[in-house]
Amino acid sequence: MSEVFFLSVADMNADSGNKLQTLLECAGIAELTGVVAVKMHMGERNNRTYLKPQFVKPIVEAVKRHGGMPFVTDTTTIYKEKRFTAMDYYETAFAHGFLPSSLGCPVLIADGLKDDGVPVSEHVEIARDIYESDSMLVITHATGHCASTFGGAIKNVAMGCVTKKTKKYQHEVTRPVLNQDLCTGCNKCREVCKHDAISESHIIDPDKCIGCGACIAVCEYGALSTPPDMSCELQKRLAEVASIVIHALPYTNLLYLNFLIDITPFCDCAEFAPEYLCPDIGVLASRDIVALDRASIELIKNFEADPLVQVREAHRLGLGDWDYELIVI
Ligand code: SF4
Ligand code: SF4
């Protein structure tokens, strides 16, 4: 049974932040040594509910107090928005306040200017700066997710610590399905696709499609739909890739924090919509990614599909214990 430490939202800022420091100490922040990748999502441009730098700064300070050398990091996206290249992402990160001067540590886009990764399996490349660190602290803004139902630490590792090739491998299972009988040939899908993945006869090119779903959203005739069992299949891919990443990293000093605040139905890649799955809950910390995501899901509760598929699969693949003890700080 694994320990999951919990600080309620009411206590997050109480006692001048000392309770957060207690949470970090109990969870084992002292074991993050050497160069520490602080993996997070710094928010897509029109998102407003990403985890703000002021939550990250005291965590960075705690890492430094124990002698670790942190850098805040993430990787570029496969969809063409404002984090598609490292240069795009630096602009977005800085616009969102993720500045070395405000965090107290550098900000590095871990796959660099050329989507650089270390191949560790047929489909998985770990972003180089994450692979070459000595420890990792995975800070996740837990949310719902339009394709995987839940986005927690497993998704942060699987989708966030890898190159575009590996992101695309996971998104293979979200490619739209076309019903030719319903298609009117209006071409709205072709106009919205930024990846030139839809032919004149509206056939989707699997090599070009990244499974973003933009075409489904604009098709007024129901001719495009998500594949059957998409959530289940994507969750299994997330667990598979998270398992490969965690087992292939040349270090085992890993700590996970899930922030359960501003819990939106969609992840921080999505534009802000004033909608929440539930009221703010608090922050959870654990050395066990399975226990942590399971506890987070069971506190949030309010999902339309089963979000535990990824957790069960991650447990089956040896990433952690199914049972946990919730220890309130
Ligand atoms: S948007 Fe829908 S109806 Fe229009 S061309 Fe594309 S698939 Fe066909
Ligand atoms: S999901 Fe649709 S819009 Fe997105 S890349 Fe594939 S074909 Fe293009």
Side-chain angles (χ1 to χ4, degrees), residues 176 193 195 197-198 204 209-215:
C193 180
H195 297 266
I198 306 176
I204 295 173
C209 175
I210 60 152
C212 69
C215 53

Side-chain angles (χ1 to χ4, degrees), residues 178 182-190 198 202 215 218-224:
L178 172 68
L182 297 177
C183 178
T184 63
C186 73
N187 280 332
K188 284 191 176 161
C189 53
R190 298 187 73 219
I198 306 176
H202 309 104
C215 53
V218 298
C219 180
E220 295 169 9
Y221 302 94
L224 290 166

Side-chain angles (χ1 to χ4, degrees), residues 4-308:
V4 177
F5 299 92
F6 173 59
L7 185 61
S8 72
V9 68
D11 282 337
M12 272 171 62
N13 296 319
D15 197 16
S16 307
N18 284 341
K19 286 203 167 189
L20 176 66
Q21 296 302 319
T22 305
L23 175 95
L24 297 172
E25 297 297 331
C26 291
I29 200 159
E31 291 174 47
L32 301 178
T33 54
V35 175
V36 182
V38 179
K39 169 66 186 75
M40 53 180 306
H41 187 317
M42 291 175 266
E44 190 49 79
R45 240 344 147 79
N46 294 318
N47 181 272
R48 282 198 259 147
T49 45
Y50 60 89
L51 193 68
K52 305 297 183 297
Q54 60 263 34
F55 287 105
V56 184
K57 186 180 181 193
I59 301 169
V60 163
E61 285 170 355
V63 172
K64 287 162 73 174
R65 204 165 46 247
H66 288 289
M69 293 173 282
F71 68 97
V72 168
T73 192
D74 196 7
T75 53
T76 59
T77 60
I78 45 171
Y79 62 83
K80 293 181 177 174
E81 293 296 338
K82 303 294 186 192
R83 298 181 303 136
F84 183 62
T85 67
M87 298 304 276
D88 295 335
Y89 205 148
Y90 283 118
E91 280 187 20
T92 297
F94 295 163
H96 286 177
F98 290 90
L99 294 156
S101 56
S102 53
L103 292 166
C105 73
V107 177
L108 284 178
I109 301 308
D111 52 337
L113 294 176
K114 296 190 174 171
D115 193 32
D116 185 17
V118 177
V120 295
S121 77
E122 182 185 354
H123 299 295
V124 179
E125 297 172 342
I126 302 175
R128 184 166 296 280
D129 291 341
I130 288 174
Y131 185 88
E132 293 183 349
S133 297
D134 301 309
S135 308
M136 180 156 63
L137 173 56
V138 179
I139 303 179
T140 304
H141 173 219
T143 64
H145 192 270
C146 60
S148 65
T149 305
F150 171 70
I154 292 169
K155 180 174 172 292
N156 197 352
V157 170
M159 204 62 85
C161 291
V162 298
T163 62
K164 286 180 166 58
K165 172 185 168 178
T166 309
K167 291 176 206 274
K168 195 170 175 197
Y169 167 67
Q170 293 170 90
H171 273 287
E172 273 176 10
V173 297
T174 68
R175 274 188 216 131
V177 177
L178 172 68
N179 182 339
Q180 288 275 18
D181 294 341
L182 297 177
C183 178
T184 63
C186 73
N187 280 332
K188 284 191 176 161
C189 53
R190 298 187 73 219
E191 287 159 19
V192 81
C193 180
K194 294 185 179 178
H195 297 266
D196 193 26
I198 306 176
S199 73
E200 286 180 15
S201 52
H202 309 104
I203 304 299
I204 295 173
D205 182 338
D207 291 330
K208 292 182 178 174
C209 175
I210 60 152
C212 69
C215 53
I216 300 173
V218 298
C219 180
E220 295 169 9
Y221 302 94
L224 290 166
S225 56
T226 55
D229 292 333
M230 178 180 70
S231 171
C232 191
E233 294 306 314
L234 180 57
Q235 289 190 62
K236 286 181 185 168
R237 288 262 169 130
L238 292 173
E240 174 198 334
V241 172
S243 170
I244 293 170
V245 168
I246 289 169
H247 288 127
L249 284 171
Y251 50 86
T252 55
N253 295 336
L254 294 160
L255 177 62
Y256 306 96
L257 294 182
N258 280 3
F259 278 80
L260 278 56
I261 56 173
D262 292 333
I263 309 163
T264 44
F266 304 120
C267 70
D268 295 341
C269 300
E271 286 191 22
F272 173 72
E275 193 185 338
Y276 298 94
L277 289 181
C278 65
D280 289 351
I281 295 169
V283 57
L284 300 173
S286 182
R287 301 294 301 267
D288 184 327
I289 193 170
V290 171
L292 181 77
D293 271 4
R294 184 181 172 203
S296 301
I297 288 168
E298 291 178 349
L299 285 166
I300 297 171
K301 295 188 185 91
N302 192 15
F303 297 96
E304 286 188 0
D306 180 8
L308 284 168

